[in-house]
């Protein structure tokens, strides 16, 4: 079982603030790192899948970076909006099969 | 709108009932998954079907019985469940289940909220 950790567990920010949170994972036998956004009463939505060390991906105001050598990824949200309120999950597949191990998530609340 | 459809959205059943959860996708994905999610915890994998064959069963009790009638459908049959089985059950799909598919995301349904009385 892979150890995938996310921090912080929860975060409250004011509308307009920028924020970031962390996902750490085992750096050995790395294949990919997935980020998902999960809004209440909706399905988890894929944000990014990252595979290369130094990779940086962007989707609107959200971006993510990846460091496979030290085993971490950062997710950044610029100018947070209330609609960004959600739980952000990261996940990694295990060795040899596409079986995702999820972190416990970071719950973001953006206060208008 | 999600591309993975789960029914029902909510289910309340007694411990002696038999019910089924259904999941459908029309993206041509060859791998489908059942996850169980309890409050404040991440989704836990229960079963994986790859090319309509059961690939992974994560030591799930036999009161949960998965079925994959075809490549678009995935069912989870429930019988004699316990109160601790109350949870959100998520279905997901992906293009495949091999190493070559690691760079593709999983697509999730909205889930079925199950309550056992």
């Amino acid at each position: 079982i892979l150890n995938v950790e996310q921090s912080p567990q929860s975060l409250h920010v004011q509308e307009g603030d920028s924020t970031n949170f962390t996902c750490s994972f085992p750096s050995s036998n790395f294949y990919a790192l997935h980020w998902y956004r999960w809004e209440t009463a909706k399905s988890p939505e894929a944000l990014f899948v990252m595979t290369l060390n130094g990779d940086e991906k962007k989707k609107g105001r959200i971006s993510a970076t990846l460091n496979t050598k030290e085993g971490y990824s950062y997710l950044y949200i610029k100018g947070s909006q209330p609609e960004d309120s959600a739980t952000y999950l990261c996940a990694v597949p295990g060795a040899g099969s596409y079986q995702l191990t999820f972190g416990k998530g970071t719950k973001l609340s953006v206060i208008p | 709108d999600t591309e993975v459809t789960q029914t029902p959205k909510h289910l309340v059943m007694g411990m002696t009932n038999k019910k089924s959860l259904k999941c459908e996708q029309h993206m041509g994905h060859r791998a489908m998954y059942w996850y169980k999610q309890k409050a404040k915890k991440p989704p836990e994998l229960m079963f994986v079907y790859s090319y309509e064959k059961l690939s992974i069963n994560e030591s799930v009790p036999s009161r949960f019985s998965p079925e994959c009638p075809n490549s678009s459908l995935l069912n989870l049959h429930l019988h004699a469940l316990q109160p601790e089985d109350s949870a959100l059950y998520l279905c997901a799909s992906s293009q495949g289940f091999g190493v070559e598919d690691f760079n593709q995301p999983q697509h999730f349904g909205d889930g079925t909220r199950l309550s056992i009385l």
Side-chain angles (χ1 to χ4, degrees):
Chain A
I1 297 177
L2 299 174
N3 188 23
V4 180
E5 296 188 353
Q6 291 187 246
S7 63
Q9 192 173 349
S10 65
L11 196 52
H12 291 78
V13 301
Q14 292 287 334
E15 182 176 351
D17 287 351
S18 294
T19 187
N20 65 83
F21 23 94
T22 308
C23 172
S24 61
F25 52 86
S27 55
S28 59
N29 295 318
F30 175 81
Y31 292 93
L33 185 287
H34 294 220
W35 280 104
Y36 293 87
R37 174 171 60 198
W38 194 358
E39 294 178 64
T40 303
K42 294 189 177 180
S43 57
E45 172 199 2
L47 288 173
F48 307 111
V49 179
M50 309 176 79
T51 56
L52 299 175
N53 184 44
D55 220 359
E56 185 168 342
K57 296 208 171 184
K58 191 173 180 182
K59 186 176 183 177
R61 294 178 291 98
I62 304 176
S63 60
T65 60
L66 179 67
N67 183 323
T68 61
K69 293 184 179 178
E70 295 181 38
Y72 65 84
S73 175
Y74 292 137
L75 190 79
Y76 300 90
I77 301 178
K78 185 178 177 182
S80 303
Q81 299 296 308
E83 59 264 30
D84 297 326
S85 297
T87 296
Y88 291 82
L89 292 166
C90 68
V92 295
S97 76
Y98 188 3
Q99 181 176 343
L100 291 178
T101 298
F102 286 86
K104 291 184 178 180
T106 293
K107 185 173 182 179
L108 174 67
S109 300
V110 181
I111 304 161
Chain B
D1 289 338
T2 182
E3 296 166 309
V4 177
T5 305
Q6 288 188 246
T7 55
K9 290 195 183 304
H10 302 274
L11 179 61
V12 180
M13 58 188 284
M15 288 190 283
T16 58
N17 291 156
K18 285 185 182 181
K19 295 285 185 183
S20 297
L21 309 185
K22 296 185 184 302
C23 176
E24 189 169 2
Q25 59 88 13
H26 294 289
M27 294 176 282
H29 288 174
R30 308 308 301 192
M32 296 186 76
Y33 310 77
W34 280 116
Y35 289 90
K36 175 181 178 180
Q37 196 259 335
K38 302 277 276 186
K40 299 189 178 182
K41 294 202 171 179
E44 291 180 9
L45 185 66
M46 300 174 71
F47 302 104
V48 182
Y49 273 82
S50 178
Y51 289 87
E52 300 163 47
K53 287 187 169 45
L54 184 63
S55 291
I56 289 181
N57 175 341
E58 287 288 6
S59 303
V60 179
S62 59
R63 57 186 184 267
F64 294 91
S65 175
E67 179 197 16
C68 189
N70 60 55
S71 59
S72 300
L73 293 174
L74 186 66
N75 298 322
L76 186 62
H77 302 298
L78 314 172
H79 175 54
L81 295 193
Q82 304 297 307
E84 62 266 26
D85 296 323
S86 297
L88 180 70
Y89 289 84
L90 286 165
C91 174
S93 69
S94 65
Q95 284 191 353
F97 192 60
V99 173
E100 66 278 8
D101 301 301
F102 286 0
N103 62 349
Q104 299 299 319
Q106 290 188 8
H107 295 252
F108 288 84
D110 290 340
T112 294
R113 177 73 60 188
L114 177 65
S115 299
I116 307 301
L117 301 178

